Amino acid sequence: MAPSFKSLALASTLLVAGVSGAAAQGAQCGGNWNQFMEGVRAEALAKGLSPAGVDRALANVRQDEKVLSRDRGQAVFQQEWSRFQGRMVNKDRLARGQAQLKKYASTFREVEAATGVPGPVIASFWGLETDFGAVLGDFDTLSALATLAHDCRRPEIFRPHLISAIELVDKGYLRPDQMRGAWAGELGQTQMLPEDYIAFGTDQDGNGQINLLTDVPDVLMTTGKFIQSMGWQRGQPWLEAIRVPADFPFDRAALVNKEPRRAFAALGVTKSDGSPLERDDVPASIILPQGKGGPAFLAFPNFDIYLQWNNSLTYSLTAAYFGTRLAGEPVVDMGNPQPGLDGDQMKVLQNKLVALGYDVGKVDGILGANTRAAVATEQGKRGFAPDGWPTAPFLAALN
């Protein structure tokens, strides 16, 4: 069973949410629930939605404390990448993914022709988000979005999606009782947020409805259009497993460091089987999710789309790797990485880095981009390979 991981990154994924500056400034939150809901109703009516549709959508909306609990308890990405991907990219999911690519081969071809997005890329999200439609979530979407819009942590994200969810009802896309999904308001087999459902929803099977809950052709084309909208480059790679030599300058292994592929080839980086890298100008970054001793990847500009979908490197690298496996690439060499830190140790590390003047964002026990960058800088200062992978000896060196 795959939980909805896209929801776990909503806090800082405004690119996915599509929030405008005006909406962010105008969002209202908190206070009396009934007054808040009257404001939502008034906003929906001002948008031109019908009174009957708005009232139908809001008739059974309630605050959901379970949604707030999920929102405040996002610890899944504290896992090391090898463990997380091993659980998610398992033999069963790979087999079912290959079966889906074969079953819907003609639709996948149509999607790629229209959007440039390959079938394995779409299938990777489809499989991780809902196990290919098997686990859509059981939260009431309208109540979840209303709860999160009323909560004052991120109303600028969730209020626009609440209005769009009402629009889905008003336009007849879905009935309120059909709108059940992830805790943060995503719907359908690839967990689309309501604004994106409306913006990219496509009746690919021509049955007169856009149904991302049950109509797989609609799901695949809609997802392809959504990924295309984020800047997917047709015909270009997204991720490639590589080998990095022991004498590599590890300060150059960072997502923010994009260099021509030929530059990495000149430093001795090869393909995973030892054959030479292409010596071209295609920009790429090196990802070492568990440091210099673990697996290694080249990430290309299309990998940035995965990070827009979910800004967790753990999730994005897993999804992108899953896509390469579905496209026929072999299992990556996991190497022999040094043991990392557990969640509590990571929080201690983050607090130490904050004390040293680094901005690591929220102290949450998750090895995010800011924490990795700070670790790499301090590693370089203290005689460690600056690979951004914190270990117990490195943590001890900060004392």
Side-chain angles (χ1 to χ4, degrees):
M1 178 181 295
S4 170
F5 293 108
K6 189 174 169 189
S7 61
L8 300 177
L10 274 171
S12 52
T13 316
L14 297 184
L15 284 172
V16 174
V19 178
S20 70
Q25 293 176 5
Q28 298 175 358
C29 64
N32 179 272
W33 173 260
N34 291 332
Q35 290 179 358
F36 168 79
M37 290 306 300
E38 281 300 317
V40 168
R41 184 179 186 277
E43 183 177 341
L45 293 174
K47 188 176 180 180
L49 306 185
S50 73
V54 173
D55 291 342
R56 188 164 61 251
L58 298 180
N60 295 305
V61 170
R62 301 290 184 271
Q63 283 183 287
D64 189 341
E65 290 298 324
K66 290 189 297 182
V67 168
L68 296 178
S69 177
R70 287 288 187 94
D71 188 35
R72 287 155 171 74
Q74 303 174 14
V76 65
F77 297 133
Q78 291 180 359
Q79 298 177 27
E80 293 182 354
W81 183 77
S82 59
R83 180 182 175 191
F84 182 83
Q85 72 79 30
R87 185 166 60 86
M88 304 308 297
V89 187
N90 54 52
K91 290 182 179 179
D92 176 65
R93 190 167 282 132
L94 280 164
R96 285 186 289 123
Q98 293 288 2
Q100 297 286 14
L101 286 166
K102 177 183 265 188
K103 180 177 180 180
Y104 295 102
S106 62
T107 302
F108 278 116
R109 285 193 296 270
E110 292 169 0
V111 174
E112 184 166 8
T115 68
V117 183
V121 171
I122 295 171
S124 68
F125 289 120
W126 189 18
L128 291 190
E129 293 289 350
T130 67
D131 262 345
F132 308 104
V135 186
L136 300 185
D138 196 36
F139 283 86
D140 178 87
T141 300
L142 289 155
S143 291
L145 288 169
T147 299
L148 291 165
H150 179 262
D151 184 51
C152 285
R153 295 179 73 199
R154 302 187 302 284
E156 73 280 359
I157 294 176
F158 292 105
R159 187 165 177 134
H161 287 298
L162 174 58
I163 301 301
S164 292
I166 298 169
E167 186 175 353
L168 287 173
V169 175
D170 186 52
K171 287 185 172 180
Y173 283 49
L174 297 168
R175 301 187 311 271
D177 63 285
Q178 292 176 301
M179 297 174 68
R180 304 194 71 82
W183 64 263
E186 303 97 331
L187 284 163
Q189 296 193 22
T190 52
Q191 299 289 268
M192 302 293 289
L193 288 158
E195 279 193 316
D196 302 319
Y197 195 127
I198 290 172
F200 303 105
T202 303
D203 179 18
Q204 184 64 16
D205 58 10
N207 67 357
Q209 295 182 323
I210 301 173
N211 191 324
L212 305 185
L213 306 179
T214 60
D215 294 355
V216 171
D218 295 3
V219 170
L220 301 183
M221 183 60 81
T222 299
T223 306
K225 288 183 176 181
F226 178 54
I227 294 171
Q228 178 191 38
S229 77
M230 291 189 283
W232 186 269
Q233 298 180 19
R234 183 186 295 267
Q236 296 299 309
W238 59 94
L239 190 74
E240 179 180 13
I242 55 172
R243 291 185 189 175
V244 176
D247 61 353
F248 182 79
F250 288 100
D251 58 333
R252 290 165 71 171
L255 268 174
V256 295
N257 180 50
K258 298 184 186 298
E259 301 188 40
R261 190 158 41 180
R262 57 179 166 74
F264 292 129
L267 292 169
V269 177
T270 68
K271 293 180 178 293
S272 60
D273 62 3
S275 60
L277 282 182
E278 293 83 351
R279 291 180 175 266
D280 56 25
D281 290 328
V282 173
S285 301
I286 289 181
I287 300 177
L288 304 174
Q290 291 174 249
K292 61 186 180 65
F297 298 93
L298 273 187
F300 301 98
N302 276 339
F303 180 74
D304 293 343
I305 307 308
Y306 284 88
L307 290 166
Q308 288 186 51
W309 184 289
N310 186 309
N311 66 353
S312 161
L313 180 63
T314 298
Y315 174 92
S316 296
L317 186 58
T318 298
Y321 172 60
F322 187 23
T324 67
R325 296 294 310 282
L326 291 173
E329 293 300 311
V331 176
V332 68
D333 181 1
M334 290 296 169
N336 187 30
Q338 295 184 55
L341 306 179
D342 62 28
D344 289 338
Q345 290 174 315
M346 193 69 71
K347 289 179 181 178
V348 171
L349 169 69
Q350 289 174 321
N351 280 318
K352 288 181 178 292
L353 292 171
V354 169
L356 289 169
Y358 292 99
D359 176 11
V360 301
K362 181 181 178 182
V363 175
D364 55 8
I366 297 172
L367 183 59
N370 287 0
T371 301
R372 283 183 182 271
V375 167
T377 299
E378 282 299 313
Q379 285 173 325
K381 292 179 179 179
R382 297 168 187 265
F384 294 84
D387 60 6
W389 178 243
T391 61
F394 171 72
L395 179 58
L398 293 182
N399 290 330

